[in-house]
Amino acid sequence: MPQSKSANISACSTCNLAELCLPVGLSAQEMQRLDELNMQKHSFSRGDYLYRSGDRFRALFAINRGAFKTRILHEDGREQVTGFQMAGEIIGLDAISTDRHDGEAVALESSVVCELPFQKLETLSRDIPSLQRHLHKIMSREIVRDQGIMLLLGSMRSEERVAAFLLTLSQRYAMRGLSPTQFQLCMSRQDIGSYLGLKLETVSRAFSHFQDEGIIAVKTRSIEIIDLALLQASINSSC
Amino acid sequence: MPQSKSANISACSTCNLAELCLPVGLSAQEMQRLDELNMQKHSFSRGDYLYRSGDRFRALFAINRGAFKTRILHEDGREQVTGFQMAGEIIGLDAISTDRHDGEAVALESSVVCELPFQKLETLSRDIPSLQRHLHKIMSREIVRDQGIMLLLGSMRSEERVAAFLLTLSQRYAMRGLSPTQFQLCMSRQDIGSYLGLKLETVSRAFSHFQDEGIIAVKTRSIEIIDLALLQASINSSC
DNA sequence: CATGTTTTTTGACTCACATCAAACCCAATT
DNA sequence: AATTGGGTTTGATGTGAGTCAAAAAACATG
């Protein structure tokens, strides 16, 4: 069990999604597990699973460095990336990790997209009311985010989706004090496609097209947004 | 303000999503508002707004009778139905009602799909810890549900989506002790389409096709599932 | 019951995206 | 320098679902 320590929760300027800072309090066995993971560092590559106790995540993690993706796995092998989590954000909401949805087993998993280091924050303990309240915010935001993606998946066409994707990335970087117009993608075209409900070729074509239009400059994983306004516009114009 | 009364929370066998029962505690003005709504009963039709204080829902409602839809509105007029809530379920999570998502104003609204009567449950009061805990479950489930829809929107084709939709409806009715094979749709093809990311014609065609196959029997809003196994199969087969 | 309105169905056509396939780039390995 | 392999780009082609349109059915109204 995690060593109980006084929770130290405060709005955190560097964590955008989080707003939730706790001293890192790892139990002995969790420390050991972390070590194991670090030991096997080389076996960790894109697509590998992160950390599961049993068949569900039991804790919240604040991502220190690197980026992760969350995805849903259908039993028939279909998978969908449901989000990308970057440094300063939260991953692994306990309650939603594994659950039955409409009678079908839906496994929610996290896999490494980029690098791996992370910090265990705190197990989702029922008895820290202020943590709970923050959790509400996080979950609410998760829902709002999901609903946004639903809008995207349900009613946008390919280039609009890619534009929207780039813009949200841009904003997330901006929130973290990084350049909103020049950044590295930390996920493959494949993953972007899965996230946006598109095939990787379509994503690539969208990038190329935006580049031809002079809206962005792409060099594989490096993105520079040249005309942010045009990118914005390309979401609404074509509909 | 709502009259504070002792919360009486317990697992509720008739409420499937809820698991949350409170004595109906309406304040005077809320009672009045409810009366107003009942007065104007005839002015309520599909698509009308339900109940908003300011521009956000301030309370949780347990739906007593009828059905509602939740949707997102984009400023450019685009809308997407994000879910259907039926009797015995919960509607109107405060925190997510109106929020900024990725810098764009996204309004979450509820509109009446079928009939209107509802009961106010309790304002989302921070000071009832057991309510909070239940809220977690509800929100978790909301997230899981959303993620399922994302899977659907992202990687299923039209007939699979419609099949999945019918199956979840079936299960929800079953959970409520109603017939899982014979029920009335309480939403238009349009709404189903919006929910599934399809056009209404496509939904109609899917229904017709399933009917031709002898899997279901459709008569406008009346659905009978004839071969549940085949319906199940049609989700996986075509992929 | 006749009439107007909305919802649903059906058909013909089009187009955006998926699919298939080949070439390319870049980094790691030998 | 040559090889291998994953990720990316690009092109040619096919198809599922959108679009447009019109008829039919369901529903509402006087």
Side-chain angles (χ1 to χ4, degrees), chain B residues 157-158 197 199 201-202 205 220:
Chain B
R157 47 160 100 12
S158 64
K199 291 291 145 178
E201 295 96 324
T202 309
R205 275 184 244 273
T220 52

Side-chain angles (χ1 to χ4, degrees), chain B residues 10-230:
Chain B
S10 63
C12 174
S13 61
T14 56
C15 308
N16 94 68
L17 235 173
E19 285 183 55
L20 189 153
C21 292
L22 284 175
V24 184
L26 291 172
S27 72
Q29 72 184 45
E30 283 153 350
M31 208 58 171
Q32 189 199 334
R33 179 81 183 112
L34 184 61
D35 276 351
E36 277 175 44
L37 293 183
N38 285 333
M39 290 295 199
Q40 307 161 358
K41 193 175 267 195
H42 291 298
S43 70
F44 264 81
S45 58
R46 285 185 209 121
D48 280 355
Y49 296 161
L50 171 60
Y51 174 95
R52 303 169 65 186
S53 93
D55 60 350
R56 46 159 54 204
F57 292 95
R58 298 220 170 277
L60 281 175
F61 293 95
I63 301 168
N64 239 6
R65 200 151 63 76
F68 298 82
K69 70 177 175 188
T70 46
R71 57 180 182 172
I72 320 173
L73 292 174
H74 228 244
E75 58 249 20
D76 59 6
R78 237 176 301 192
E79 92 160 41
Q80 163 126 23
V81 174
T82 58
F84 299 104
Q85 279 71 38
M86 318 197 301
E89 299 181 338
I90 286 286
I91 202 174
L93 291 174
D94 184 339
I96 65 167
S97 302
T98 301
D99 208 344
R100 300 246 143 200
H101 168 60
D102 297 328
E104 302 204 314
V106 172
L108 240 170
E109 297 190 336
S110 295
S111 39
V112 180
V113 174
C114 265
E115 302 161 64
L116 50 133
F118 58 89
Q119 274 184 321
K120 172 146 184 267
L121 254 195
E122 249 298 352
T123 49
L124 191 154
S125 55
R126 307 284 181 204
D127 38 29
I128 305 178
S130 50
L131 176 63
Q132 279 218 19
R133 231 173 298 132
H134 281 279
L135 215 52
H136 266 174
K137 260 190 214 150
I138 295 170
M139 295 180 78
S140 290
R141 232 169 288 183
E142 173 84 9
I143 292 176
V144 171
R145 203 174 57 82
D146 283 358
Q147 308 246 0
I149 299 166
M150 285 166 60
L151 182 69
L152 182 147
L153 291 174
S155 62
M156 288 187 182
R157 47 160 100 12
S158 64
E159 295 197 352
E160 295 180 283
R161 298 185 196 197
V162 174
F165 174 71
L166 287 176
L167 284 170
T168 61
L169 271 192
S170 168
Q171 286 176 250
R172 282 163 82 177
Y173 281 117
M175 273 194 268
R176 193 159 305 113
L178 304 173
S179 168
T181 56
Q182 219 163 2
F183 48 84
Q184 293 284 120
L185 295 176
C186 56
M187 66 290 280
S188 68
R189 304 284 189 265
Q190 175 92 264
D191 282 339
I192 299 173
S194 170
Y195 179 62
L196 298 176
L198 300 171
K199 291 291 145 178
L200 61 95
E201 295 96 324
T202 309
V203 175
S204 178
R205 275 184 244 273
F207 279 149
S208 299
H209 184 233
F210 284 141
Q211 182 157 240
D212 293 345
E213 305 270 302
I215 300 175
I216 63 173
V218 192
K219 189 133 192 286
T220 52
R221 299 270 175 123
S222 302
I223 297 283
E224 185 187 357
I225 299 177
I226 296 170
D227 193 332
L228 217 138
L230 264 177

Side-chain angles (χ1 to χ4, degrees), chain A residues 2 9 18 24 27 42 46 69 78 89 92 103 112 119 188 191 193-194 205 207 228:
Chain A
I9 300 175
V24 184
S27 72
H42 290 298
R46 283 185 210 123
K69 69 177 176 187
R78 237 176 302 194
E89 300 180 337
V112 181
Q119 272 184 323
S188 68
D191 282 339
S194 170
R205 275 183 243 271
F207 279 148
L228 217 139

Side-chain angles (χ1 to χ4, degrees), chain A residues 157-158 197-199 201-202 205 219:
Chain A
R157 49 160 111 345
S158 64
L198 301 170
K199 291 291 144 178
E201 294 97 326
T202 309
R205 275 183 243 271
K219 189 136 193 284

